[in-house]
Amino acid sequence: TGNRGALALDHRGALLLATGDAGNPAAAQDPNSLAGKLLRLDAAGKPAEDNPVNDSAIVISGLHTPGGVCAALDGSRIWVTDRDARRDLLYRVQYGKPLGEPAWTWPDRPGISGCASTPESLWLTASAAANLQVLPLAPDGTFRGKPNISMQNQDGFGKLAAIDLVNEHLAVSGTMNKDGGTPVSSDDRAVIIVPMVGQGGSSD
């Protein structure tokens, strides 16, 4: 438990690395441990120069089992997904500040994994529910309604894992259908997703 993690570019020259707490929630709050943290690194793997604490890669503490981290293409918003014993969680990240209350929660635990941040919405992949969930964004970064669900059943590709934007008009995701069940050769693939404003998007 707590062994998941995620990688993303912050689009401001650094790499974001979310780490799980490795089954030890106390480690997530321990400044001497890299478990349960969001790390921000430069191209050499060292702490990014403008991190809140000099010579520390840690910009957020308190994660449990993160599945995704993402930044808007202009670097203005950072998000991380997580899970606890009761809910799937989404946090908006502010470097050097406590996680605070989640920006969104899923008590039904659809297996929220990766995320991608567009100017109009936040895209989230769900591994257990096997769909794509899109939260419409207001200009101030709050949400304007419940998730729009798409890419499920015959319109989807099964369990979706990581997702990343190529640009504002194109995203890529991967499937994780071989994680259980009886796999066949076409179970797992890379998927191209074309964002559609206010909707879940189309895929190929």
Side-chain angles (χ1 to χ4, degrees):
T1 181
N3 291 321
R4 289 164 34 122
L7 287 167
L9 297 175
D10 75 347
H11 301 296
R12 290 186 172 177
L15 179 70
L16 299 171
L17 169 60
T19 65
D21 65 12
N24 180 10
Q29 302 297 339
D30 182 353
N32 297 311
S33 171
L34 297 182
K37 306 295 192 297
L38 181 62
L39 311 178
R40 187 168 179 268
L41 307 163
D42 64 17
K46 304 295 184 182
E49 286 187 4
D50 53 348
N51 282 355
V53 177
N54 289 337
D55 300 321
S56 174
I58 298 170
V59 293
I60 286 292
S61 300
L63 298 174
H64 172 54
T65 179
V69 59
C70 58
L73 291 176
D74 63 1
S76 61
R77 295 173 183 151
I78 309 292
W79 306 89
V80 63
T81 68
D82 201 0
R83 300 177 186 175
D84 63 19
R86 300 179 296 114
R87 308 167 295 175
D88 291 353
L89 309 164
L90 171 69
Y91 293 99
R92 184 169 176 185
V93 172
Q94 293 182 286
Y95 297 148
K97 296 183 179 180
L99 280 176
E101 289 298 314
W104 199 269
T105 65
W106 290 262
D108 57 335
R109 303 182 71 188
I112 296 298
S113 299
C115 62
S117 180
T118 75
E120 298 88 7
S121 58
L122 188 67
W123 294 43
L124 300 124
T125 53
S127 57
N131 59 35
L132 180 72
Q133 303 198 14
V134 179
L135 278 165
L137 275 170
D140 64 356
T142 59
F143 298 115
R144 295 185 286 110
K146 295 181 179 180
N148 297 311
I149 296 175
S150 64
M151 292 183 63
Q152 62 181 349
N153 302 323
Q154 69 272 15
D155 296 323
F157 293 94
K159 299 177 180 180
L160 295 172
I163 185 172
D164 195 16
L165 290 179
V166 177
N167 54 46
E168 291 184 7
H169 309 290
L170 192 68
V172 292
S173 182
T175 66
M176 50 180 290
N177 295 312
K178 290 186 178 180
D179 184 15
T182 304
V184 297
S185 61
S186 61
D187 269 350
D188 285 327
R189 64 190 80 184
V191 179
I192 298 171
I193 303 172
V194 181
M196 296 172 64
V197 176
Q199 299 182 26
S202 61
S203 58
D204 293 311

mmCIF file of all heavy atoms in Angstrom, residues 20 38 61 64 71 88-89 105 108 127 161 201-202:
data_model
loop_
_atom_site.group_PDB
_atom_site.id
_atom_site.type_symbol
_atom_site.label_atom_id
_atom_site.label_comp_id
_atom_site.label_asym_id
_atom_site.label_seq_id
_atom_site.Cartn_x
_atom_site.Cartn_y
_atom_site.Cartn_z
ATOM 1 N N GLY A 20 4.322 7.871 -2.961
ATOM 2 C CA GLY A 20 3.438 7.332 -1.943
ATOM 3 C C GLY A 20 4.121 7.245 -0.592
ATOM 4 O O GLY A 20 5.347 7.389 -0.479
ATOM 5 N N LEU A 38 5.335 15.535 -2.728
ATOM 6 C CA LEU A 38 5.470 16.008 -4.095
ATOM 7 C C LEU A 38 6.827 16.678 -4.176
ATOM 8 O O LEU A 38 7.108 17.634 -3.437
ATOM 9 C CB LEU A 38 4.359 16.991 -4.470
ATOM 10 C CG LEU A 38 4.415 17.521 -5.909
ATOM 11 C CD1 LEU A 38 4.262 16.389 -6.913
ATOM 12 C CD2 LEU A 38 3.351 18.583 -6.140
ATOM 13 N N SER A 61 3.809 17.958 1.340
ATOM 14 C CA SER A 61 3.846 16.750 2.159
ATOM 15 C C SER A 61 2.424 16.276 2.429
ATOM 16 O O SER A 61 1.469 17.047 2.344
ATOM 17 C CB SER A 61 4.547 17.027 3.497
ATOM 18 O OG SER A 61 5.875 17.456 3.306
ATOM 19 N N HIS A 64 -0.699 10.037 0.261
ATOM 20 C CA HIS A 64 -0.792 8.628 0.660
ATOM 21 C C HIS A 64 -0.452 7.696 -0.506
ATOM 22 O O HIS A 64 0.538 6.984 -0.476
ATOM 23 C CB HIS A 64 -2.186 8.305 1.196
ATOM 24 C CG HIS A 64 -2.422 6.850 1.452
ATOM 25 N ND1 HIS A 64 -1.577 6.090 2.250
ATOM 26 C CD2 HIS A 64 -3.381 6.003 0.994
ATOM 27 C CE1 HIS A 64 -2.018 4.828 2.275
ATOM 28 N NE2 HIS A 64 -3.100 4.760 1.524
ATOM 29 N N ALA A 71 0.176 19.716 -14.517
ATOM 30 C CA ALA A 71 0.287 21.174 -14.511
ATOM 31 C C ALA A 71 -0.389 21.722 -15.753
ATOM 32 O O ALA A 71 -0.356 21.096 -16.826
ATOM 33 C CB ALA A 71 1.754 21.598 -14.488
ATOM 34 N N ASP A 88 -11.491 8.747 -3.213
ATOM 35 C CA ASP A 88 -10.487 9.256 -4.135
ATOM 36 C C ASP A 88 -10.462 10.767 -3.973
ATOM 37 O O ASP A 88 -11.505 11.397 -3.728
ATOM 38 C CB ASP A 88 -10.829 8.887 -5.575
ATOM 39 C CG ASP A 88 -10.683 7.393 -5.844
ATOM 40 O OD1 ASP A 88 -10.195 6.672 -4.956
ATOM 41 O OD2 ASP A 88 -11.080 6.952 -6.935
ATOM 42 N N LEU A 89 -9.289 11.370 -4.132
ATOM 43 C CA LEU A 89 -9.086 12.772 -3.781
ATOM 44 C C LEU A 89 -8.381 13.533 -4.890
ATOM 45 O O LEU A 89 -7.541 12.971 -5.606
ATOM 46 C CB LEU A 89 -8.239 12.875 -2.506
ATOM 47 C CG LEU A 89 -8.696 12.056 -1.298
ATOM 48 C CD1 LEU A 89 -7.572 11.943 -0.285
ATOM 49 C CD2 LEU A 89 -9.924 12.686 -0.675
ATOM 50 N N THR A 105 -13.705 15.323 -4.213
ATOM 51 C CA THR A 105 -13.602 13.962 -3.685
ATOM 52 C C THR A 105 -14.589 13.054 -4.412
ATOM 53 O O THR A 105 -15.600 13.507 -4.953
ATOM 54 C CB THR A 105 -13.903 13.903 -2.176
ATOM 55 O OG1 THR A 105 -15.271 14.273 -1.958
ATOM 56 C CG2 THR A 105 -12.982 14.822 -1.380
ATOM 57 N N ASP A 108 -17.403 7.277 -4.126
ATOM 58 C CA ASP A 108 -17.640 5.996 -4.799
ATOM 59 C C ASP A 108 -16.344 5.336 -5.266
ATOM 60 O O ASP A 108 -16.375 4.225 -5.781
ATOM 61 C CB ASP A 108 -18.592 6.171 -5.977
ATOM 62 C CG ASP A 108 -18.093 7.192 -6.992
ATOM 63 O OD1 ASP A 108 -17.306 8.087 -6.613
ATOM 64 O OD2 ASP A 108 -18.498 7.096 -8.168
ATOM 65 N N SER A 127 -9.427 4.302 -13.281
ATOM 66 C CA SER A 127 -9.028 2.932 -13.598
ATOM 67 C C SER A 127 -10.086 1.912 -13.196
ATOM 68 O O SER A 127 -10.365 0.968 -13.938
ATOM 69 C CB SER A 127 -7.696 2.600 -12.924
ATOM 70 O OG SER A 127 -7.774 2.788 -11.522
ATOM 71 N N ALA A 161 -5.251 4.818 -17.330
ATOM 72 C CA ALA A 161 -4.243 5.110 -16.305
ATOM 73 C C ALA A 161 -3.747 6.544 -16.480
ATOM 74 O O ALA A 161 -4.512 7.486 -16.352
ATOM 75 C CB ALA A 161 -3.110 4.092 -16.399
ATOM 76 N N GLY A 201 -14.648 14.638 -24.684
ATOM 77 C CA GLY A 201 -13.659 14.493 -25.735
ATOM 78 C C GLY A 201 -13.916 13.276 -26.577
ATOM 79 O O GLY A 201 -14.781 12.450 -26.303
ATOM 80 N N SER A 202 -13.147 13.166 -27.646
ATOM 81 C CA SER A 202 -13.209 12.007 -28.507
ATOM 82 C C SER A 202 -11.878 11.303 -28.455
ATOM 83 O O SER A 202 -10.878 11.855 -27.993
ATOM 84 C CB SER A 202 -13.538 12.431 -29.945
ATOM 85 O OG SER A 202 -12.523 13.297 -30.450
#
